[in-house]
Amino acid sequence: MLEKQVKRKRRHKRLRAKISGTKERPRLCVFRSNKHIYAQLIDDKEGKTLLAASDLEVKSKIKKKKGAKLLNERKQKTKKEENRTGKVAIAYEVGRLIAEKALKKKIEKVVFDRGGYKYHGRVKALAEGAREGGLIF
């Protein structure tokens, strides 16, 4: 492994010593690669993933929408949303998607696990999307 990856693993290990998820309040774990971003809700007591979302799901949803609908949605964006482009915008949508799935399973509160990454950029956008989608953390 590269030195950068080793350092991230160490930071994540330190973080995980302090937080853990339960069935009532699962851990929202984020994994970020260069191309993709993934989010999972995990129950650490049973060692099970309750649900997951990734940018692969979001991209397929965007492709299904028609061009006219996308144009209307772009016009209604606020100033903050206009600043989100590319991977950051997709990460925000992943956060909204995982919040939507969680609320369907009646999960409202979570513990945020940034996975050893800085709370910045795509990780922050995912967290904001999840908060806006209705999750509390």
Side-chain angles (χ1 to χ4, degrees):
M1 262 198 281
L2 297 172
E3 185 67 22
K4 206 171 188 180
Q5 291 170 329
V6 172
K7 286 182 177 181
R8 185 192 75 80
K9 289 276 187 187
R10 282 186 194 150
R11 283 192 304 269
H12 192 210
K13 199 173 179 182
R14 271 197 312 266
L15 224 163
R16 286 283 294 114
K18 297 171 188 170
I19 62 170
S20 70
T22 62
K23 197 167 190 172
E24 298 80 39
R25 193 174 175 132
R27 176 169 55 100
L28 174 58
C29 184
V30 176
F31 177 75
R32 178 186 63 120
S33 72
N34 284 338
K35 283 187 176 181
H36 303 290
I37 190 155
Y38 307 89
Q40 294 180 320
L41 286 181
I42 301 170
D43 176 6
D44 288 313
K45 290 198 175 176
E46 290 189 28
K48 290 186 179 179
T49 299
L50 304 175
L51 44 100
S54 72
D55 63 335
L56 301 170
E57 294 175 58
V58 172
K59 286 177 185 174
S60 66
K61 278 188 175 184
I62 290 172
K63 285 181 183 176
K64 288 180 184 176
K65 287 184 179 180
K66 295 193 169 111
K69 282 187 177 179
L70 282 174
L71 287 174
N72 289 336
E73 286 178 14
R74 286 187 188 141
K75 288 178 186 175
Q76 297 170 356
K77 285 187 176 181
T78 63
K79 196 76 168 170
K80 195 172 188 180
E81 289 172 333
E82 285 176 7
N83 294 337
R84 290 189 197 112
T85 57
K87 291 190 263 187
V88 176
I90 290 170
Y92 178 80
E93 292 302 320
V94 171
R96 300 268 311 231
L97 180 65
I98 195 122
E100 181 184 310
K101 286 182 175 184
L103 292 176
K104 282 182 185 175
K105 284 199 169 189
K106 297 180 182 170
I107 299 169
E108 292 179 355
K109 292 185 177 184
V110 295
V111 178
F112 189 67
D113 175 11
R114 57 188 171 84
Y117 303 106
K118 286 183 179 178
Y119 187 78
H120 177 75
R122 290 192 279 161
V123 176
K124 183 179 178 181
L126 191 142
E128 287 174 353
R131 279 192 191 103
E132 216 166 279
L135 289 181
I136 300 165
F137 52 94

